[in-house]
Amino acid sequence: FPSHDSLPFFGYADPTQPQGLVLVRQGYRAGVNIQLSLFDVMGHRGRVNEVKEKILSAKHKRDGDAQELRRSLGQFYADMVGYNRLYKARNEDLLTQTVACSVAEKEWREGTIHISEYARQKNVLADADAAYQESFRFYYSALLQFEALLGQPLSTLVKKKGG
């Protein structure tokens, strides 16, 4: 900051004597007395360099944050796609086990299979349903995390067919 020495100063002038440009026209010299501290002259470069360093540091931090965001987005996207595939596979398995259990129930009612086989099919169906529910939970959780990182629902980014 400027010191008190660099402030403008005023002197007394005799009002009966010619002033300003009149004196210059008459051959007198005109001048300005500026007093600046060495810090005002030399410190400016240091302040400029300090600001440049802060800007450069902020840019590097921003670049690092952007890289971390890209890595996180990639990881969450890969998780979401993997859990979606698992969810679809578990859904197919559940549908297959539902049909198998229906067939086993029909055969049990007709008396062609023992009750233990029907009970086994019901247990397999229950396991398939549990695996389906768990895979859906994993997929939905990954989807929500991915959308949170994106800052908007994925459905707003997916191009609609026929539109």
Side-chain angles (χ1 to χ4, degrees), residues 6-72:
S6 63
L7 296 176
F9 66 92
F10 300 95
Y12 173 75
D14 185 358
T16 61
Q17 298 295 319
Q19 299 293 318
L21 291 175
V22 174
L23 288 176
V24 173
R25 285 188 195 133
Q26 294 175 357
Y28 289 93
R29 295 183 186 166
V32 176
N33 184 10
I34 298 177
Q35 294 179 354
L36 295 173
S37 70
L38 188 58
F39 177 78
D40 289 338
V41 175
M42 303 304 283
H44 178 70
R45 178 176 291 238
R47 288 192 302 266
V48 168
N49 287 340
E50 181 182 343
V51 170
K52 283 181 182 177
E53 287 298 321
K54 284 182 182 178
I55 290 171
L56 190 60
S57 175
K59 181 185 178 302
H60 287 307
K61 183 179 181 330
R62 184 197 66 208
D63 291 347
D65 291 347
Q67 181 67 26
E68 178 62 25
L69 180 61
R70 282 191 295 274
R71 189 198 65 73
S72 295

Side-chain angles (χ1 to χ4, degrees), residues 79-93 131-132 134-136 138-139:
D79 288 348
M80 184 184 65
V81 168
Y83 288 134
N84 186 30
R85 288 180 182 155
L86 179 64
Y87 170 63
K88 287 178 178 180
R90 297 290 189 232
N91 184 42
E92 288 293 321
D93 188 36
Y132 168 79
E134 184 179 39
S135 68
F136 177 77
F138 286 149
Y139 166 70

Side-chain angles (χ1 to χ4, degrees), residues 71-156:
R71 189 198 65 73
S72 295
L73 275 173
Q75 182 62 48
F76 282 119
Y77 180 76
D79 288 348
M80 184 184 65
V81 168
Y83 288 134
N84 186 30
R85 288 180 182 155
L86 179 64
Y87 170 63
K88 287 178 178 180
R90 297 290 189 232
N91 184 42
E92 288 293 321
D93 188 36
L94 178 62
L95 293 175
T96 301
Q97 291 305 323
T98 302
V99 170
C101 192
S102 295
V103 169
E105 182 180 3
K106 182 180 177 276
E107 290 176 348
W108 172 70
R109 289 187 190 278
E110 292 172 353
T112 57
I113 63 170
H114 193 268
I115 187 71
S116 61
E117 178 59 24
Y118 174 62
R120 188 186 74 72
Q121 284 295 331
K122 289 292 275 185
N123 285 338
V124 171
L125 177 62
D127 290 344
D129 186 50
Y132 168 79
Q133 296 298 331
E134 184 179 39
S135 68
F136 177 77
R137 183 175 57 86
F138 286 149
Y139 166 70
Y140 192 65
S141 174
L143 175 67
L144 291 178
Q145 289 176 352
F146 186 67
E147 288 180 341
L149 241 85
L150 286 177
Q152 58 186 340
L154 193 59
S155 61
T156 62

